[in-house]
Amino acid sequence: LVSSNSQNSAYNSMNNADVNMDNVEFILGSTDSYWTRDYGPWWVVDGYGDVGIVDFTYNRPRPNDNDAPLKVSDYLNVPYFATDIVHAGGNYMTDGLGIGASSTLVYEENSMSDNQIHQDMFNYYGIDPYHTIEDPNNTYIDHIDCWGKFLSTDKVLLREVPTSHAQYDEIEEVVDYFESIPTSSGGSWSIYRVYTPNNQPYTNSIILNNKVFVPVINSSWDDEALEVYEEAMPGYEVLPFT
């Protein structure tokens, strides 16, 4: 997704990095920032296997970013729907089978009632139950990807901190919460912990096909974090990126 005057620069950057440009297509459209997880399209699949985009209002005053899902749907010629929910991709995760989770930031950012938010998440995304959890990190952003991530339909990754950490109790309460709720099949979640004593961003990974892209910061805990992913996700290639 590039503006017309930046396409050549984007092409050259990727081509010089040995990207196979036969696998790249450019969608023309201006953006305001690079936070694509936060403003990019959320996909839904209906009972017939057809896919479409259900858009939300991006929770930042960045109109070009907010229009990104529509630009993608136009380019790919897929159905496009819109909700009135104010949200961000970094504060939403789903198991793909109807369970979703966010921090309670979603309540604070919307003028509609909490019940209406849950109803819209069901009507437009098929999400039920929708787990809204008090953010344990005590930071300004309150995004769920700063402390948790669904790795599959029955595995969840949660951050771990030493007992001396200011937010230790709150983070362990989140662990207790996931131990108390069922998966979509009615079983228990397999909970994996990743050690983040200095607020390392290991939970903020992305899974694409059989690869897992994990953010690292050249910390002494990077290797241990990658090992947790490898243990939790056999058959996947776990790749670190600074």
Side-chain angles (χ1 to χ4, degrees), residues 29 41 46 66 125 154 222:
D46 68 14
N66 189 53
Y125 296 102
D154 59 4
D222 287 353

Side-chain angles (χ1 to χ4, degrees), residues 40-56 69-70 72-74 76-83 92 124-126:
W42 292 3
W43 296 88
V44 294
V45 183
D46 68 14
Y48 303 99
D50 297 322
V51 299
I53 289 172
V54 178
D55 198 4
F56 55 91
L70 180 59
V72 173
S73 71
D74 286 344
L76 297 176
N77 193 29
V78 296
Y80 172 89
F81 308 91
T83 74
Y92 172 64
Y124 285 92
Y125 296 102

